[in-house]
Amino acid sequence: MPTTIPSSGKLLISSAQISSRIKAMGQQISADLAGSRETVLLMVADGALIFSADLGRTISIPLYMDQIAVSSYEGTESSGKIRLRTKPRLNLSGKNILLVDDILDTGQTISYLISYLKQFKPDKIYICVMLDKPSGRKVPIIADYVGFEVPDKFVIGYGMDYDGLYRNLPDIYCLD
Ligand code: IMP
Ligand code: MG
């Protein structure tokens, strides 16, 4: 049976819009980081899995890829308690980290990860997110690369889930 979209779901960003935006982001990142330190694309699992795979393939500089996993969400509410589930495996010392997440909302996850990653002495940490919900911010985090700004609504698809489902939808929907 194909995945059905919840009845309250409204199309927000199509897969065609996503792929053209990612291509531009990849070109920008490649131009900005060309000739600098070695770069590690550090995907924040599980939400950024699909975005990272697509973004990584548009980046033309040498790129290491690794992952880190955290959990904080229950249903559509952030629990605020962030738990590290998987540590990075690569040596990050002296490297550029391109930290890739699906969505920047309160900023708590990214801020937690920045503090956590500093112990590995990277040269620089760049923040890259598919979606930015600026109105949800509780911690002042500004991403270096943003796919799209979105309103303060719960979104699913393109890696983002509701209780574990809908990550595989190619388009992004919001739930009312
Ligand atoms: P923050 O810590 O509040 O910035 O939340 C960031 C994390 O919460 C992201 O990595 C997402 O996995 C998850 N998240 C925030 N908003 C949504 C949403 O609308 N849909 C699905 N996941 C979300
Ligand atoms: Mg996430």
Side-chain angles (χ1 to χ4, degrees), residues 70-84:
V70 289
S71 50
S72 69
Y73 257 71
E74 284 150 18
T76 61
E77 290 301 316
S78 172
S79 68
K81 281 174 270 148
I82 297 156
R83 212 162 46 85
L84 190 75

Side-chain angles (χ1 to χ4, degrees), residues 42 65-68 86-92:
L42 191 59
M65 294 179 85
D66 197 359
Q67 62 169 299
I68 193 163
T86 309
K87 295 178 181 178
R89 284 183 302 163
L90 294 179
N91 175 11
L92 303 173

Side-chain angles (χ1 to χ4, degrees), residues 86-111:
T86 309
K87 295 178 181 178
R89 284 183 302 163
L90 294 179
N91 175 11
L92 303 173
S93 168
K95 297 200 173 75
N96 284 323
I97 296 178
L98 180 67
L99 188 61
V100 176
D101 204 356
D102 51 358
I103 175 158
L104 176 58
D105 183 13
T106 64
Q108 284 162 323
T109 306
I110 295 292
S111 127

Side-chain angles (χ1 to χ4, degrees), residues 1 16 20 28 37 40 54 70 72 79 85 94 96 109 117 120 126:
M1 227 187 13
S20 87
Q28 183 69 56
R37 304 272 184 150
V40 181
D54 285 346
V70 289
S72 69
S79 68
R85 288 191 290 122
N96 284 323
T109 306
L117 290 168
F120 302 110
Y126 296 88

